[in-house]
Amino acid sequence: MPRFADRFATLPAYPLAHIPARKRALLAAGVDVIDLGAGDADLPAPIEAIAAMQQALDVPAMHRYGFGLGYVPFREAIARYMQERFAVTIDPITEVVPLIGSKEGLAHVALAFLQAGDVAVVPDPAYGAYVGGTLLASAEPYVVPLTARNRFLVELDEIPEHVLARTRVVYLNYPNNPTGAIAPREYLERVVRICRERDILLVYDNAYAELGFDGYVPPSIFEIDGARDVAIEFHSISKTFNMTGWRCGWAVARPELAGALARVKNFVDTGSFLAVQAAATAALEARHAFVPGNVAVFRERRDAAVDAFQAAGFACTTPLAAMYLWVPLPSGIESARFADRLREQEGVIVMPGSGFGAGGEGYFRVSFIESPERTALAANRAGRVLAQLQTEDAPQRPAATNAVVVAT
Ligand SMILES: Cc1ncc(COP(=O)(O)O)c(C=O)c1O
């Protein structure tokens, strides 16, 4: 048997990789499955993106290697978007890195900035690419629990000095998956200040930049003074345009930082399909027509989810951004046990908080990926499972006796 690298052995099992197979089996058994698991909506991509893809398919040049440069109009559309949306001026050639989905960029960036002995600060719960990238770079993740107490923010001030001294990268993601939290501007200013003082790379994952509700408009990290010195920001077409399967995103940073990620990628991929980049360009250009209506659909689903899960006995609060409800469980009910029972007994798929790291224990995540009606039905079934688990866990009381009960 060929030997595995020590580094490989540090990788945890990828959370919840078994769920698609279980879903298939439940469907095959005739169960009415309501899948509120992955952040992967059942909604259509913009027609402009589909038309651009169809046209690109007829152009032989679009079938050739994209290389790192990719489709230049895509880079230009990104630069226009960053300018218009965030008032951030970037050079489309030297400050943009086209990605095959933002996930690979989030993991690959670690290879340029981390090595053995280094630390990356990683939120917990969080998207798995941060820990994965860190471990693949032979570095150590230092996980910071995101809790309601700290408003689900990573407070660098609370990290011990001996850890911070070895920290080369901080991963942040706001609007946040899975908690739905947002980052106040003064918080981002504090983080940027500390990263600049210590020359730490701030990896800012902005995959949900366009999913804000009730007037909340997620910022770019580059709106914060000084962020251009230390930050690299990741964007995705996945959630904004319902294009998760197309695998397309980008990173923005000053040339030295963007160039480092691009250089790593030169050795591991040859760019995404140019036709996909043409479609993403069309999507970005159609954003004024597309995004508000799409956000309205997610907001309606969010409201339905909040109402229904609260009515079913869960104490969840209303998120202002992203596409998730982060639902606390009563203490003593483990999230994996709850999610397994809900799936196997009621056909409802949610993500147990523990799937996002130990810090997610005590919660489960609901994605706004099905209709309000189906989401409400799922909440109802979840309430049934909760009641059942609470009854099962209640201390067994002796049947009526005439013992005197003294309240203490
Ligand atoms: C926080 C976060 N970042 C990045 C991604 C990856 O998105 P992409 O489809 O661009 O790889 C996801 C996907 O769920 C996510 O939740």
Side-chain angles (χ1 to χ4, degrees):
M1 177 73 174
R3 191 210 62 184
F4 295 109
D6 292 345
R7 179 180 58 245
F8 174 78
T10 64
L11 284 177
Y14 197 77
L16 316 169
H18 64 287
I19 302 265
R22 277 309 300 149
K23 179 180 173 181
R24 248 173 82 87
L26 290 169
L27 286 169
V31 174
D32 172 31
V33 174
I34 307 179
D35 185 353
L36 306 179
D40 193 5
D42 61 345
L43 300 166
I47 49 173
E48 291 85 349
I50 293 168
M53 167 61 105
Q54 283 166 338
Q55 277 167 22
L57 289 176
D58 286 334
V59 180
M62 298 296 270
H63 294 252
R64 303 183 71 186
Y65 284 126
F67 296 111
L69 179 65
Y71 184 61
V72 171
F74 180 43
R75 290 174 171 267
E76 292 166 346
I78 291 164
R80 278 196 299 279
Y81 165 74
M82 296 299 293
Q83 181 72 54
E84 254 188 49
R85 171 68 171 77
F86 307 110
V88 170
T89 307
I90 52 162
D91 179 75
I93 303 299
T94 60
E95 297 189 307
V96 172
V97 187
L99 300 172
I100 309 172
S102 61
K103 183 179 191 177
E104 59 94 354
L106 288 161
H108 281 137
V109 73
L111 296 177
F113 292 94
L114 291 173
Q115 59 197 20
D118 291 344
V119 166
V121 169
V122 173
D124 178 12
Y127 189 55
Y130 318 146
V131 159
T134 302
L135 294 172
L136 289 172
S138 304
E140 271 171 59
Y142 180 81
V143 295
V144 176
L146 301 185
T147 64
R149 180 197 64 80
N150 61 20
R151 295 179 292 162
F152 303 106
L153 299 173
V154 175
E155 290 296 354
L156 298 181
D157 285 337
E158 294 176 11
I159 295 175
E161 175 54 37
H162 69 277
V163 175
L164 219 41
R166 287 197 294 133
T167 299
R168 309 295 348 138
V169 168
V170 171
Y171 279 99
L172 289 188
N173 163 228
Y174 297 102
N176 185 254
N177 170 19
T179 67
I182 59 171
R185 193 166 284 261
E186 53 76 25
Y187 165 76
L188 295 176
E189 285 166 358
R190 255 183 299 136
V191 171
V192 166
R193 181 176 45 73
I194 296 171
C195 288
R196 290 182 74 201
E197 281 165 8
R198 293 176 173 265
D199 279 334
I200 293 171
L201 180 75
L202 175 53
V203 176
Y204 195 76
D205 180 356
N206 215 342
Y208 299 92
E210 296 304 328
L211 285 183
F213 309 118
D214 308 336
Y216 175 69
V217 182
S220 163
I221 193 67
F222 297 125
E223 291 176 36
I224 306 299
D225 276 351
R228 293 276 267 152
D229 292 344
V230 288
I232 181 164
E233 179 164 276
F234 288 79
H235 289 262
S236 173
I237 66 160
S238 291
K239 321 291 175 165
T240 305
F241 297 111
N242 310 324
M243 292 172 75
T244 49
W246 297 59
R247 311 310 305 130
C248 190
W250 66 89
V252 171
R254 69 186 173 108
E256 297 83 348
L257 307 181
L261 172 58
R263 188 158 155 197
V264 169
K265 281 172 57 59
N266 279 339
F267 292 90
V268 290
D269 69 66
T270 314
S272 66
F273 187 15
L274 291 170
V276 166
Q277 296 184 46
T281 307
L284 270 177
E285 275 163 6
R287 72 181 180 282
H288 296 298
F290 182 82
V291 170
N294 206 44
V295 171
V297 172
F298 280 110
R299 200 202 52 235
E300 192 191 0
R301 291 172 172 205
R302 176 204 64 172
D303 292 345
V306 171
D307 289 351
F309 277 90
Q310 285 179 348
F314 297 94
C316 49
T317 55
T318 307
L320 276 181
M323 52 193 287
Y324 307 110
L325 200 58
W326 188 234
V327 188
L329 283 162
S331 69
I333 298 187
E334 262 186 24
S335 61
R337 178 177 168 225
F338 175 78
D340 285 350
R341 180 76 75 93
L342 182 55
R343 185 183 64 244
E344 299 302 323
Q345 191 178 300
E346 298 280 354
V348 172
I349 299 175
V350 297
M351 294 297 198
S354 58
F356 299 93
E361 188 49 88
Y363 288 81
F364 65 97
R365 190 193 77 177
V366 167
S367 298
F368 308 146
I369 55 171
E370 287 224 30
S371 68
E373 297 71 31
R374 299 277 292 161
T375 303
L377 183 58
N380 196 272
R381 296 183 192 176
R384 224 161 30 219
V385 168
L386 177 67
Q388 216 174 58
L389 291 176
Q390 283 179 312
T391 313
E392 286 170 20
D393 290 354
Q396 295 301 312
R397 287 168 204 274
T401 68
N402 42 13
V404 177
V405 178
V406 180
T408 53

